Amino acid sequence: MDFGLVLQTDPPASQVISLMKRAERGGFRYGWTFDSAVLWQEPFVIYSQILANTQKLHVGPMVTNPGTRTWEVTASTFATLNDMYGNRTVCGIGRGDSAMRVAGRKPNTLARLGEAIEVIRDLAEGREAEVDGNPIRIPWIRDGKLPVWMAAYGPKALALAGEKADGFILQLADPYLTEWMVKAVREAAARAGRDPDAITICVAAPAYVGDDLAHARDQCRWFGGMVGNHVADLVSRYGEHSSMVPDALTEYIKSREGYDYSHHGRAGNPSTDFVPDEIVDRFCLLGPVEAHIEKLRALRALGVDQFAVYAMHDAREHVIDTYGEHIIPVLNS
């Protein structure tokens, strides 16, 4: 099982770079960041320094979207990093939540997202693609490689991930929902004539190691609010008790009253008071080392290839070091 570290690009960027170096020393193979231009610093600038200061770490956004940058710019940026540092990037992509909404735009349609996945990958790997009706190719790319992993929750998005993406990003760590969604992605891949087992499965969620569960829950409750934004979109599209979306995913947002993106992804977010302890426990990894290992083994048995640790809390160094010393070696033994 691979492990990743997910950070926000809050200033100073030097701290983000330092934590990624620490993660690589601990056995993490992936370094991810949020990508929302208004809320945080520009991640692609920081990726260059992360790659320069690590040896094997792969980096990428969790997640970018097709709307805040033109597709040829996104592809060229990834390709430049790969040319400089040796094909060590991954393009995590989705419809766009905070990045689009903070700028007053709606998230991208799935049709646009599906087209972008193919165009960005083709361009970044040196092939010709059509952008706004014009065929283009980036001529200087040689031996470029860019896996594109798609974040999804709803049935149509899960199907799109199975049809077009190289990997699937699920931003929650509930085994029941993981099993349901991984199955949906792989069935869609099979229907599209693809090898379902060739799709990398990445589960991303906060992890907090320690015996004080009340404190851990408070530090990670923000995550239920972030997931709730996407769930609210599903409810508006499919209804509260649709057979297409499990009740286990939608029930908890009934008390949701709104969301303030100025606190997005941060411990103590006041917009997440509606998230009950049960959801925090189900969506995150909390408790002593043994509890993390048990849940990770369950996720691995469901086909999860990577667990990416959201470290937006007051114990970032502790969780990185504990995973490196006591958890990653066990899961990889």
Side-chain angles (χ1 to χ4, degrees), residues 2-20:
D2 283 332
F3 287 83
L5 177 67
V6 190
L7 299 173
Q8 294 168 335
T9 51
D10 288 313
S14 59
Q15 188 172 51
V16 177
I17 297 160
S18 176
L19 289 169
M20 290 298 186

Side-chain angles (χ1 to χ4, degrees), residues 169-304:
I169 297 171
L170 174 57
Q171 291 162 309
L172 54 81
D174 176 69
Y176 171 78
L177 292 169
T178 298
E179 182 176 18
W180 184 84
M181 293 184 184
V182 169
K183 180 181 178 183
V185 169
R186 287 184 166 155
E187 287 179 346
R191 288 194 301 270
R194 305 180 70 203
D195 178 1
D197 294 327
I199 298 175
T200 303
I201 307 297
C202 175
V203 162
Y208 199 103
V209 183
D211 296 323
D212 188 345
L213 280 178
H215 181 72
R217 286 168 179 147
D218 286 344
Q219 286 292 303
C220 298
R221 199 174 306 276
W222 63 265
F223 184 67
M226 187 184 84
V227 174
N229 293 329
H230 303 285
V231 175
D233 286 345
L234 296 179
V235 169
S236 67
R237 186 172 298 124
Y238 298 108
E240 273 190 35
H241 299 289
S242 168
S243 61
M244 300 182 73
V245 184
D247 287 346
L249 183 61
T250 60
E251 281 293 316
Y252 83 98
I253 68 161
K254 288 181 177 179
S255 301
R256 182 179 183 270
E257 295 180 351
Y259 192 83
D260 182 353
Y261 279 93
S262 66
H263 305 286
H264 187 58
R266 300 187 186 280
N269 185 338
S271 299
T272 61
D273 292 343
F274 69 94
V275 181
D277 289 349
E278 177 194 4
I279 288 294
V280 183
D281 292 348
R282 288 176 59 181
F283 285 9
C284 305
L285 274 73
L286 312 175
V289 165
E290 295 74 20
H292 290 247
I293 291 173
E294 180 182 5
K295 194 164 188 178
L296 287 166
R297 281 175 169 159
L299 292 169
R300 184 175 62 182
L302 295 173
V304 174

Side-chain angles (χ1 to χ4, degrees), residues 1-3 26-28 207-210 285-297 300 307 309 318-333:
M1 189 181 224
D2 283 332
F3 287 83
F28 288 77
Y208 199 103
V209 183
L285 274 73
L286 312 175
V289 165
E290 295 74 20
H292 290 247
I293 291 173
E294 180 182 5
K295 194 164 188 178
L296 287 166
R297 281 175 169 159
R300 184 175 62 182
F307 177 62
V309 176
H318 176 66
V319 76
I320 293 169
D321 293 346
T322 303
Y323 263 68
E325 293 172 19
H326 302 294
I327 296 175
I328 292 176
V330 173
L331 270 293
N332 288 333
S333 62

Side-chain angles (χ1 to χ4, degrees), residues 120-202:
I120 290 169
R121 181 170 51 211
D122 282 346
L123 290 176
E125 294 184 349
R127 294 183 294 276
E128 182 178 284
E130 191 171 288
V131 179
D132 295 329
N134 299 306
I136 61 172
R137 187 177 72 83
I138 303 175
W140 52 263
I141 294 176
R142 299 288 184 273
D143 302 318
K145 185 66 177 177
L146 182 66
V148 181
W149 297 5
M150 179 181 156
Y153 291 106
K156 291 182 180 179
L158 294 168
L160 180 63
E163 292 163 2
K164 297 196 174 186
D166 302 299
F168 164 49
I169 297 171
L170 174 57
Q171 291 162 309
L172 54 81
D174 176 69
Y176 171 78
L177 292 169
T178 298
E179 182 176 18
W180 184 84
M181 293 184 184
V182 169
K183 180 181 178 183
V185 169
R186 287 184 166 155
E187 287 179 346
R191 288 194 301 270
R194 305 180 70 203
D195 178 1
D197 294 327
I199 298 175
T200 303
I201 307 297
C202 175

